[in-house]
């Protein structure tokens, strides 16, 4: 008996092939935490979800569980769920019913997709999905407003992470090393984000948005020539920078893209862009009431590509931008940094104050 009226059951390393029956029907309301780490458990019995609804902590790491039943949603008091090093291929949608969950640990499984309902876990603080088979991160994760730590390392099929995730209000730590990210976000939460580990993706990354420059490791660019670059996928907008021998990937949503030297006037002024900006402050749960066209709805859900880098402008950029490619004058080689602006005026203003620190690189849209 520990922690007052609650008990902690330590049942790890005992070669159990199933959840031990000794847990059934005996003081179940007093059990607060259960450790069943490194056993041989293949599945969870139905009675477990009926009798253990008061459970706050459940560790099933290092077992042989390949399926998590829908009944997991009954464990509504769970705050920590550790299913690392099992054989899971998916999570049931009912995981969204675990409203008190603050830690969800899924490292070392075979999961290729997270359920959209994960966005219902508003108290979630830590999500670990390292060493899985993820191919994307659902935009719905950006509804987890309490998320602080997001660890996604060693998912070779992971090629992108939604911009909105990098702008979660409490996000502190993001790691996606040894994935195949083809693109990094142009906007991040600069208030709380302290640790960003993304730069072991050199085989697929083609440039670094200026907002992430301070997180780039010093040897990022120096490794470039030693690695065989993965072929750029066709789903991105691609441009050619004369300083490097490969095409650079940009968001496909950028329909109108121009260099500072060829941008004139204030852009973009399209009706579509103005409509996106006018609606951009609405919350997701309010969008349905607006009855917007699907093209507007999708863009609002995914949010802006970037914000104008000129201070104090910060105007949101959805479909059109003035793009500048630069290299820091501190680096001997061409470590390509990308910067976006809403107009030539803002771009010129930024270069006026940063010309001593950065050198502009020429680029063009390949024919």
């Amino acid at each position: 008996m520990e922690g007052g009226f609650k008990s902690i059951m330590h049942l790890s390393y005992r070669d159990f092939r199933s959840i031990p029956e000794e847990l059934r029907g005996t003081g179940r309301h007093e059990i607060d935490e259960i450790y069943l780490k490194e056993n041989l458990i293949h599945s969870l019995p139905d009675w477990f979800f009926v009798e253990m609804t008061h459970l706050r902590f459940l560790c099933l790491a290092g077992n042989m569980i390949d399926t998590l039943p829908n009944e997991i949603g009954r464990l509504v008091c769970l705050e920590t769920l550790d299913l690392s090093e099992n054989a899971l291929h998916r999570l049931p949608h009912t995981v969204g019913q675990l409203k008190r969950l603050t830690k969800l640990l899924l490292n070392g499984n075979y999961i290729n997709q997270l359920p959209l309902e994960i966005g219902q876990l508003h108290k979630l603080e830590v999500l670990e999905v390292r060493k899985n088979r993820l191919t994307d991160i659902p935009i719905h994760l950006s509804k987890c407003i309490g998320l602080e730590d997001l660890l996604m390392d060693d998912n070779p099929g992971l090629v992108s992470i939604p911009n909105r995730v990098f702008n979660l209000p409490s996000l502190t730590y993001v790691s996606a090393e040894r994935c195949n990210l083809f693109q990094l976000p142009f906007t991040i939460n600069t208030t709380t984000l302290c640790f960003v580990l993304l730069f072991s993706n050199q085989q697929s990354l083609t440039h670094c948005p200026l907002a992430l420059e301070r997180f780039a490791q010093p040897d990022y660019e120096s490794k470039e020539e030693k690695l065989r670059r993965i072929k750029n996928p066709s789903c991105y907008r691609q441009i050619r920078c004369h300083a490097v021998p490969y095409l650079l990937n940009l968001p496909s949503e950028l329909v109108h893209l121009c260099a500072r030297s060829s941008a004139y006037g204030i852009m973009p002024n399209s009706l579509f862009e103005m409509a996106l900006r006018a609606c951009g402050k609405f919350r997701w749960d309010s969008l349905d009431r607006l009855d917007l066209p699907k093209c507007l709805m999708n863009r609002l859900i995914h949010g802006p590509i970037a914000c104008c880098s000129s201070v104090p402008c910060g105007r949101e950029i959805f479909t059109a931008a003035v793009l500048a490619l630069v290299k820091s004058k501190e680096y001997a080689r061409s470590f390509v940094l990308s910067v976006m602006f809403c107009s030539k005026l803002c771009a010129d203003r930024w270069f006026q104050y940063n010309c001593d620190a950065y050198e502009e690189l020429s680029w063009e849209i390949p024919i």
Side-chain angles (χ1 to χ4, degrees):
M1 185 74 67
E2 300 180 24
F5 297 103
K6 299 296 182 180
S7 65
I8 300 177
M9 304 294 292
H10 293 283
L11 301 171
S12 300
Y13 307 102
R14 300 194 184 186
D15 292 334
F16 287 126
R17 296 182 179 274
S18 61
I19 301 292
E21 288 285 334
E22 65 190 75
L23 292 176
R24 192 173 188 178
T26 56
R28 61 184 184 272
H29 296 306
E30 295 182 353
I31 297 177
D32 193 38
E33 303 181 15
I34 297 179
Y35 291 82
L36 282 161
K37 185 176 181 179
E38 299 293 340
N39 283 290
L40 301 170
I41 298 169
H42 285 79
S43 61
L44 304 179
D46 291 342
W47 63 260
F48 186 82
F49 303 104
V50 175
E51 303 201 16
M52 296 296 163
T53 55
H54 287 44
L55 211 56
R56 185 180 61 83
F57 183 104
L58 176 60
C59 177
L60 289 162
N63 280 281
M64 305 172 72
I65 301 170
D66 58 3
T67 302
L68 198 63
N70 289 335
E71 285 75 17
I72 190 69
R74 293 184 179 182
L75 304 183
V76 293
C77 293
L78 270 186
E79 296 176 12
T80 296
L81 176 59
D82 189 352
L83 291 162
S84 300
E85 306 299 332
N86 276 279
L88 292 170
H89 286 77
R90 57 176 290 274
L91 291 181
H93 65 91
T94 51
V95 73
Q97 298 173 17
L98 306 178
K99 305 296 186 182
R100 297 187 186 181
L101 205 62
T102 60
K103 290 185 179 180
L104 179 58
L105 311 179
L106 302 167
N107 303 314
N109 282 281
Y110 303 100
I111 299 169
N112 55 28
Q113 275 191 324
L114 294 173
L116 304 186
E117 289 78 10
I118 199 167
Q120 298 172 14
L121 305 179
H122 297 162
K123 291 188 176 182
L124 191 66
E125 297 176 0
V126 177
L127 175 61
E128 296 186 7
V129 286
R130 295 174 294 186
K131 296 183 180 180
N132 276 279
R133 297 179 178 177
L134 292 175
T135 56
D136 59 36
I137 299 296
I139 185 66
H140 300 72
L141 185 63
S142 61
K143 292 184 178 182
C144 297
I145 57 174
L147 194 63
E148 298 177 4
D149 296 349
L150 176 58
L151 284 66
M152 303 165 285
D153 310 287
D154 298 295
N155 281 277
L158 186 61
V159 298
S160 66
I161 303 169
N163 280 5
R164 281 198 186 275
V165 171
F166 284 89
N167 287 275
L168 283 166
S170 301
L171 196 63
T172 302
Y173 189 112
V174 177
S175 181
E177 299 280 59
R178 296 170 300 280
C179 296
N180 276 310
L181 298 179
F182 278 89
Q183 190 173 284
L184 297 179
F186 284 88
T187 58
I188 63 172
N189 174 5
T190 56
T191 303
T192 63
L193 204 52
C194 298
F195 302 96
V196 177
L197 301 176
L198 303 170
F199 294 95
S200 68
N201 293 273
Q202 295 100 322
Q203 298 100 322
S204 51
L205 290 177
T206 58
H207 60 100
C208 176
L210 188 67
L212 288 169
E213 180 189 14
R214 64 189 175 101
F215 298 110
Q217 289 87 342
D219 62 343
Y220 168 78
E221 194 275 334
S222 64
K223 293 179 181 177
E224 187 63 54
E225 296 178 0
K226 302 177 184 178
L227 298 170
R228 183 177 179 183
R229 180 165 294 283
I230 296 174
K231 186 177 180 180
N232 287 13
S234 58
C235 57
Y236 294 102
R237 183 76 187 272
Q238 295 176 342
I239 63 171
R240 177 177 289 112
C241 175
H242 299 148
V244 292
Y246 47 83
L247 297 178
L248 274 59
N249 296 320
L250 291 167
S252 58
E253 293 85 354
L254 286 173
V255 180
H256 305 289
L257 195 63
C258 63
R260 184 166 71 108
S261 58
S262 59
Y264 298 97
I266 303 296
M267 70 167 290
N269 274 329
S270 70
L271 180 61
F272 184 64
E273 191 84 11
M274 288 190 290
L276 285 168
R277 287 176 180 164
C279 298
K281 303 303 180 184
F282 286 93
R283 292 175 50 181
W284 281 24
D285 52 8
S286 303
L287 290 177
D288 289 338
R289 295 196 292 269
L290 297 178
D291 196 25
L292 297 172
K294 187 176 180 180
C295 61
L296 270 175
M297 181 79 79
N298 289 341
R299 290 304 306 122
L300 290 173
I301 288 175
H302 285 86
I305 296 299
C307 292
C308 181
S309 295
S310 180
V311 179
C313 176
R315 181 181 292 182
E316 293 177 330
I317 295 171
F318 286 91
T319 61
V322 176
L323 172 70
L325 299 180
V326 300
K327 68 179 289 283
S328 172
K329 292 183 178 180
E330 295 181 8
Y331 298 125
R333 299 182 181 180
S334 297
F335 175 30
V336 179
L337 299 166
S338 47
V339 200
M340 285 195 192
F341 306 96
C342 68
S343 67
K344 175 177 170 55
L345 178 64
C346 281
D348 289 343
R349 183 183 295 122
W350 187 87
F351 274 97
Q352 180 181 353
Y353 290 102
N354 291 278
C355 60
D356 292 336
Y358 298 99
E359 174 187 340
E360 190 169 9
L361 305 173
S362 60
W363 64 269
E364 63 185 11
I365 298 175
I367 299 174

